[in-house]
Amino acid sequence: GSDPLFVPAEAVDVVDSTGAGDTFAAGVLAAFADGAAAEPALEYAHALAAAACTLTGARPAAHPVSAARRRGNLGRYASDT
């Protein structure tokens, strides 16, 4: 077996965590579907979920991506694409 992989989440000032888990799952699955390795895919998903926590309420999928871009933190996966 392989060793467990720990990728820490970014600390943010949380406004609302609604949809953060769904945003994380969508981010990691999209990165994997695009061929990303585990660590950069998890970094990307964490960045999207962290950005989702800085927004209020449920939102369209593109808003966490835009918010993460504004924060300058989409992880290695996004910088490689």
Side-chain angles (χ1 to χ4, degrees):
S2 62
D3 291 328
L5 176 63
F6 175 74
V7 178
E10 176 186 358
V12 296
D13 293 324
V14 175
V15 174
D16 186 348
S17 64
T18 301
D22 293 335
T23 302
F24 177 89
V28 77
L29 290 172
F32 281 148
D34 199 37
E39 189 169 1
L42 291 169
E43 289 172 350
Y44 178 69
H46 276 309
L48 294 182
C53 289
T54 67
L55 305 170
T56 303
R59 68 210 52 87
H63 287 198
V65 175
S66 297
R69 280 196 181 111
R70 283 193 302 275
R71 295 172 56 75
N73 181 18
L74 280 179
R76 287 182 290 161
Y77 163 72
S79 64
D80 291 343
T81 60

